[in-house]
Short mmCIF file of all heavy atoms in Angstrom, two decimals:
data_model
loop_
_atom_site.label_atom_id
_atom_site.label_comp_id
_atom_site.label_asym_id
_atom_site.label_seq_id
_atom_site.Cartn_x
_atom_site.Cartn_y
_atom_site.Cartn_z
N ARG A 1 -34.98 -43.19 78.51
CA ARG A 1 -33.98 -43.98 79.02
C ARG A 1 -32.54 -43.27 79.11
O ARG A 1 -31.91 -43.37 80.02
CB ARG A 1 -33.77 -45.32 78.32
CG ARG A 1 -32.95 -46.37 78.92
CD ARG A 1 -32.64 -47.58 78.16
NE ARG A 1 -33.94 -48.07 77.45
CZ ARG A 1 -34.73 -48.98 77.97
NH1 ARG A 1 -34.40 -49.44 79.21
NH2 ARG A 1 -35.85 -49.51 77.29
N THR A 2 -32.23 -42.55 78.02
CA THR A 2 -30.92 -41.95 77.93
C THR A 2 -31.03 -40.44 78.06
O THR A 2 -29.90 -39.71 77.93
CB THR A 2 -30.18 -42.35 76.67
OG1 THR A 2 -31.10 -41.95 75.52
CG2 THR A 2 -29.99 -43.88 76.66
N GLY A 3 -32.20 -39.83 78.15
CA GLY A 3 -32.27 -38.39 78.13
C GLY A 3 -33.69 -37.94 78.23
O GLY A 3 -34.65 -38.72 78.58
N PHE A 4 -33.92 -36.64 78.02
CA PHE A 4 -35.27 -36.07 78.10
C PHE A 4 -35.58 -35.27 76.98
O PHE A 4 -34.64 -34.75 76.21
CB PHE A 4 -35.51 -35.30 79.45
CG PHE A 4 -34.65 -34.15 79.61
CD1 PHE A 4 -35.13 -32.93 79.19
CD2 PHE A 4 -33.32 -34.24 80.11
CE1 PHE A 4 -34.31 -31.72 79.38
CE2 PHE A 4 -32.53 -33.04 80.23
CZ PHE A 4 -33.05 -31.80 79.79
N THR A 5 -36.88 -34.92 76.70
CA THR A 5 -37.26 -33.97 75.64
C THR A 5 -38.28 -32.92 76.26
O THR A 5 -38.92 -33.17 77.15
CB THR A 5 -37.92 -34.69 74.49
OG1 THR A 5 -39.11 -35.49 75.10
CG2 THR A 5 -37.17 -35.63 73.82
N VAL A 6 -38.16 -31.72 75.64
CA VAL A 6 -39.02 -30.64 76.03
C VAL A 6 -39.97 -30.37 74.83
O VAL A 6 -39.46 -30.00 73.81
CB VAL A 6 -38.20 -29.42 76.44
CG1 VAL A 6 -39.11 -28.24 76.80
CG2 VAL A 6 -37.38 -29.67 77.68
N ASN A 7 -41.25 -30.46 75.12
CA ASN A 7 -42.26 -30.51 74.10
C ASN A 7 -41.82 -31.43 72.83
O ASN A 7 -41.50 -32.65 73.13
CB ASN A 7 -42.35 -28.98 73.49
CG ASN A 7 -43.00 -28.17 74.54
OD1 ASN A 7 -43.81 -28.58 75.41
ND2 ASN A 7 -42.66 -26.78 74.62
N ASP A 8 -41.72 -30.93 71.69
CA ASP A 8 -41.32 -31.84 70.56
C ASP A 8 -39.86 -31.59 70.16
O ASP A 8 -39.52 -31.89 68.98
CB ASP A 8 -42.30 -31.60 69.34
CG ASP A 8 -43.65 -32.05 69.63
OD1 ASP A 8 -43.84 -33.02 70.37
OD2 ASP A 8 -44.58 -31.35 69.15
N GLY A 9 -39.03 -31.12 71.01
CA GLY A 9 -37.67 -30.83 70.80
C GLY A 9 -36.80 -32.16 70.73
O GLY A 9 -37.29 -33.25 70.97
N PRO A 10 -35.51 -31.98 70.47
CA PRO A 10 -34.68 -33.24 70.28
C PRO A 10 -34.31 -33.80 71.64
O PRO A 10 -34.60 -33.18 72.73
CB PRO A 10 -33.36 -32.56 69.65
CG PRO A 10 -33.32 -31.19 70.10
CD PRO A 10 -34.81 -30.80 70.01
N LEU A 11 -33.83 -35.01 71.61
CA LEU A 11 -33.42 -35.74 72.76
C LEU A 11 -32.23 -34.97 73.49
O LEU A 11 -31.22 -34.78 72.73
CB LEU A 11 -33.04 -37.19 72.52
CG LEU A 11 -32.69 -38.04 73.70
CD1 LEU A 11 -33.85 -38.33 74.68
CD2 LEU A 11 -32.09 -39.32 73.30
N ARG A 12 -32.25 -34.73 74.71
CA ARG A 12 -31.08 -34.01 75.36
C ARG A 12 -30.60 -35.00 76.43
O ARG A 12 -31.31 -35.52 77.33
CB ARG A 12 -31.76 -32.77 76.10
CG ARG A 12 -32.33 -31.78 75.05
CD ARG A 12 -33.05 -30.79 75.76
NE ARG A 12 -32.36 -29.89 76.65
CZ ARG A 12 -32.76 -28.74 77.32
NH1 ARG A 12 -33.97 -28.31 76.95
NH2 ARG A 12 -32.01 -28.05 78.09
N ASN A 13 -29.34 -35.38 76.30
CA ASN A 13 -28.65 -36.41 77.06
C ASN A 13 -28.57 -36.02 78.47
O ASN A 13 -28.24 -34.75 78.80
CB ASN A 13 -27.30 -36.71 76.46
CG ASN A 13 -26.74 -38.00 76.98
OD1 ASN A 13 -26.37 -38.06 78.15
ND2 ASN A 13 -26.77 -39.08 76.20
N TYR A 14 -28.87 -36.82 79.51
CA TYR A 14 -28.79 -36.59 80.88
C TYR A 14 -27.33 -36.15 81.24
O TYR A 14 -27.18 -35.44 82.23
CB TYR A 14 -29.07 -37.80 81.69
CG TYR A 14 -30.52 -38.22 81.61
CD1 TYR A 14 -30.92 -39.51 81.31
CD2 TYR A 14 -31.60 -37.30 81.88
CE1 TYR A 14 -32.28 -39.92 81.21
CE2 TYR A 14 -32.93 -37.69 81.84
CZ TYR A 14 -33.25 -38.99 81.50
OH TYR A 14 -34.57 -39.34 81.52
N GLU A 15 -26.34 -36.52 80.54
CA GLU A 15 -24.95 -36.38 81.05
C GLU A 15 -24.40 -35.00 80.56
O GLU A 15 -23.30 -34.58 80.92
CB GLU A 15 -24.06 -37.55 80.54
CG GLU A 15 -24.48 -38.86 81.19
CD GLU A 15 -23.72 -40.03 80.58
OE1 GLU A 15 -23.14 -39.83 79.52
OE2 GLU A 15 -23.88 -41.11 81.05
N GLU A 16 -25.16 -34.27 79.67
CA GLU A 16 -24.64 -32.96 79.22
C GLU A 16 -24.88 -31.98 80.32
O GLU A 16 -25.76 -32.09 81.07
CB GLU A 16 -25.40 -32.56 78.05
CG GLU A 16 -25.02 -33.42 76.74
CD GLU A 16 -25.79 -33.06 75.50
OE1 GLU A 16 -26.69 -32.09 75.72
OE2 GLU A 16 -25.60 -33.64 74.56
N GLU A 17 -23.98 -30.94 80.43
CA GLU A 17 -23.99 -30.10 81.58
C GLU A 17 -25.24 -29.31 81.72
O GLU A 17 -25.85 -29.13 82.76
CB GLU A 17 -22.78 -29.15 81.52
CG GLU A 17 -22.57 -28.21 82.74
CD GLU A 17 -21.37 -27.28 82.65
OE1 GLU A 17 -20.58 -27.42 81.66
OE2 GLU A 17 -21.19 -26.58 83.52
N GLU A 18 -25.72 -28.72 80.52
CA GLU A 18 -27.00 -28.00 80.56
C GLU A 18 -28.17 -28.86 81.03
O GLU A 18 -29.04 -28.38 81.81
CB GLU A 18 -27.24 -27.45 79.13
CG GLU A 18 -26.32 -26.26 78.74
CD GLU A 18 -26.62 -25.71 77.44
OE1 GLU A 18 -27.68 -26.20 76.81
OE2 GLU A 18 -25.91 -24.77 77.02
N SER A 19 -28.10 -30.15 80.48
CA SER A 19 -29.27 -31.11 80.99
C SER A 19 -29.22 -31.34 82.48
O SER A 19 -30.20 -31.44 83.13
CB SER A 19 -29.07 -32.35 80.13
OG SER A 19 -29.13 -32.14 78.79
N ARG A 20 -28.01 -31.45 83.05
CA ARG A 20 -27.79 -31.76 84.50
C ARG A 20 -28.41 -30.60 85.25
O ARG A 20 -29.07 -30.79 86.26
CB ARG A 20 -26.36 -31.87 84.81
CG ARG A 20 -25.81 -33.21 84.18
CD ARG A 20 -24.25 -33.28 84.36
NE ARG A 20 -23.83 -33.39 85.65
CZ ARG A 20 -23.51 -34.53 86.19
NH1 ARG A 20 -23.66 -35.66 85.55
NH2 ARG A 20 -23.13 -34.58 87.45
N HIS A 21 -28.07 -29.26 84.86
CA HIS A 21 -28.71 -28.15 85.48
C HIS A 21 -30.28 -28.03 85.44
O HIS A 21 -30.89 -27.73 86.42
CB HIS A 21 -28.16 -26.88 84.96
CG HIS A 21 -26.64 -26.62 85.23
ND1 HIS A 21 -26.18 -26.77 86.51
CD2 HIS A 21 -25.60 -26.24 84.50
CE1 HIS A 21 -24.86 -26.57 86.52
NE2 HIS A 21 -24.46 -26.18 85.26
N PHE A 22 -30.75 -28.44 84.21
CA PHE A 22 -32.18 -28.44 83.99
C PHE A 22 -32.83 -29.44 84.93
O PHE A 22 -33.80 -29.09 85.62
CB PHE A 22 -32.50 -28.81 82.42
CG PHE A 22 -33.85 -28.70 82.07
CD1 PHE A 22 -34.26 -27.58 81.37
CD2 PHE A 22 -34.84 -29.65 82.45
CE1 PHE A 22 -35.55 -27.48 80.90
CE2 PHE A 22 -36.11 -29.47 82.00
CZ PHE A 22 -36.56 -28.40 81.28
N ILE A 23 -32.34 -30.65 84.98
CA ILE A 23 -32.89 -31.76 85.82
C ILE A 23 -32.84 -31.39 87.26
O ILE A 23 -33.68 -31.66 88.12
CB ILE A 23 -32.33 -33.06 85.51
CG1 ILE A 23 -32.68 -33.47 84.02
CG2 ILE A 23 -32.79 -34.15 86.42
CD1 ILE A 23 -34.11 -33.69 83.75
N SER A 24 -31.64 -30.75 87.62
CA SER A 24 -31.42 -30.35 89.02
C SER A 24 -32.47 -29.29 89.53
O SER A 24 -33.08 -29.50 90.52
CB SER A 24 -30.09 -29.75 89.19
OG SER A 24 -29.81 -29.22 90.57
N ASP A 25 -32.86 -28.43 88.62
CA ASP A 25 -33.91 -27.47 88.98
C ASP A 25 -35.29 -28.15 89.11
O ASP A 25 -35.93 -27.82 90.14
CB ASP A 25 -34.08 -26.39 87.88
CG ASP A 25 -32.86 -25.37 87.95
OD1 ASP A 25 -32.20 -25.17 89.00
OD2 ASP A 25 -32.63 -24.71 86.93
N ILE A 26 -35.57 -29.07 88.18
CA ILE A 26 -36.80 -29.83 88.39
C ILE A 26 -36.95 -30.60 89.64
O ILE A 26 -37.87 -30.46 90.38
CB ILE A 26 -37.04 -30.73 87.12
CG1 ILE A 26 -37.04 -30.01 85.85
CG2 ILE A 26 -38.14 -31.73 87.37
CD1 ILE A 26 -38.37 -29.24 85.66
N LYS A 27 -35.80 -31.26 90.10
CA LYS A 27 -35.80 -32.09 91.36
C LYS A 27 -36.01 -31.17 92.47
O LYS A 27 -36.51 -31.55 93.50
CB LYS A 27 -34.45 -32.80 91.44
CG LYS A 27 -34.41 -33.96 90.39
CD LYS A 27 -33.04 -34.71 90.65
CE LYS A 27 -33.00 -35.95 89.74
NZ LYS A 27 -31.63 -36.67 89.83
N LYS A 28 -35.56 -29.87 92.39
CA LYS A 28 -35.59 -28.86 93.51
C LYS A 28 -36.94 -28.20 93.52
O LYS A 28 -37.18 -27.30 94.41
CB LYS A 28 -34.46 -27.95 93.52
CG LYS A 28 -33.13 -28.62 93.80
CD LYS A 28 -31.90 -27.52 93.58
CE LYS A 28 -30.55 -28.16 93.78
NZ LYS A 28 -29.47 -27.21 93.69
N GLY A 29 -37.78 -28.55 92.60
CA GLY A 29 -39.14 -27.90 92.53
C GLY A 29 -39.12 -26.46 91.94
O GLY A 29 -40.00 -25.74 92.08
N ARG A 30 -37.99 -26.12 91.16
CA ARG A 30 -37.78 -24.90 90.54
C ARG A 30 -38.07 -24.97 88.97
O ARG A 30 -37.91 -26.01 88.40
CB ARG A 30 -36.51 -24.27 90.78
CG ARG A 30 -36.10 -24.09 92.22
CD ARG A 30 -34.95 -23.22 92.41
NE ARG A 30 -33.72 -23.70 91.68
CZ ARG A 30 -32.55 -23.92 92.23
NH1 ARG A 30 -32.38 -23.70 93.55
NH2 ARG A 30 -31.50 -24.42 91.53
N ILE A 31 -38.62 -23.89 88.42
CA ILE A 31 -38.76 -23.87 87.05
C ILE A 31 -37.40 -23.41 86.41
O ILE A 31 -36.86 -22.44 86.76
CB ILE A 31 -39.82 -22.75 86.66
CG1 ILE A 31 -41.11 -23.05 87.31
CG2 ILE A 31 -39.97 -22.75 85.11
CD1 ILE A 31 -41.83 -24.44 86.94
N PRO A 32 -36.91 -24.30 85.44
CA PRO A 32 -35.60 -23.95 84.86
C PRO A 32 -35.66 -22.74 84.17
O PRO A 32 -36.72 -22.18 83.59
CB PRO A 32 -35.43 -25.17 83.79
CG PRO A 32 -36.22 -26.23 84.31
CD PRO A 32 -37.40 -25.60 85.02
N LEU A 33 -34.52 -21.90 84.18
CA LEU A 33 -34.46 -20.55 83.73
C LEU A 33 -34.83 -20.45 82.17
O LEU A 33 -35.54 -19.56 81.80
CB LEU A 33 -33.00 -20.01 83.82
CG LEU A 33 -32.78 -18.55 83.38
CD1 LEU A 33 -33.68 -17.66 84.24
CD2 LEU A 33 -31.36 -18.20 83.71
N GLU A 34 -34.54 -21.48 81.49
CA GLU A 34 -34.81 -21.38 79.99
C GLU A 34 -36.30 -21.44 79.70
O GLU A 34 -36.82 -20.74 78.79
CB GLU A 34 -34.13 -22.48 79.18
CG GLU A 34 -34.65 -23.93 79.60
CD GLU A 34 -34.07 -25.02 78.70
OE1 GLU A 34 -32.89 -25.38 78.95
OE2 GLU A 34 -34.77 -25.43 77.74
N LEU A 35 -37.05 -22.09 80.68
CA LEU A 35 -38.51 -22.07 80.47
C LEU A 35 -39.10 -20.76 80.96
O LEU A 35 -40.13 -20.33 80.24
CB LEU A 35 -39.09 -23.30 81.30
CG LEU A 35 -38.67 -24.66 80.86
CD1 LEU A 35 -39.38 -25.75 81.70
CD2 LEU A 35 -38.93 -24.86 79.41
N LEU A 36 -38.53 -20.14 81.88
CA LEU A 36 -39.03 -18.91 82.38
C LEU A 36 -38.83 -17.81 81.39
O LEU A 36 -39.62 -17.05 81.09
CB LEU A 36 -38.24 -18.45 83.67
CG LEU A 36 -38.58 -19.32 85.00
CD1 LEU A 36 -37.64 -18.85 86.12
CD2 LEU A 36 -40.00 -19.07 85.37
N ARG A 37 -37.64 -17.87 80.69
CA ARG A 37 -37.42 -16.88 79.57
C ARG A 37 -38.36 -17.01 78.37
O ARG A 37 -38.84 -16.19 77.86
CB ARG A 37 -35.92 -17.05 79.12
CG ARG A 37 -34.88 -16.56 80.10
CD ARG A 37 -33.54 -16.91 79.59
NE ARG A 37 -32.46 -16.38 80.53
CZ ARG A 37 -31.22 -16.57 80.40
NH1 ARG A 37 -30.78 -17.37 79.50
NH2 ARG A 37 -30.31 -16.13 81.33
N ALA A 38 -38.58 -18.35 78.10
CA ALA A 38 -39.44 -18.67 76.95
C ALA A 38 -40.91 -18.36 77.22
O ALA A 38 -41.69 -18.12 76.31
CB ALA A 38 -39.36 -20.13 76.57
#
């Protein structure tokens, strides 16, 4: 409801800047850079 989680990580709020970029990549059909690096 208020954010998202990656695997078993902590809740990441939708309104934080990094979260906005992450969700934006997902909506555009791109793999977020942090997942590519990992």
Side-chain angles (χ1 to χ4, degrees):
R1 194 189 307 276
T2 59
F4 64 93
T5 56
V6 177
N7 293 329
D8 293 327
L11 182 68
R12 298 167 61 171
N13 196 284
Y14 290 128
E15 295 170 352
E16 295 177 355
E17 185 175 359
E18 291 183 359
S19 300
R20 293 165 69 92
H21 290 315
F22 188 103
I23 296 299
S24 176
D25 284 340
I26 293 294
K27 289 181 177 179
K28 294 176 182 177
R30 299 194 303 233
I31 302 299
L33 183 59
E34 66 177 80
L35 299 184
L36 290 174
R37 291 174 175 171

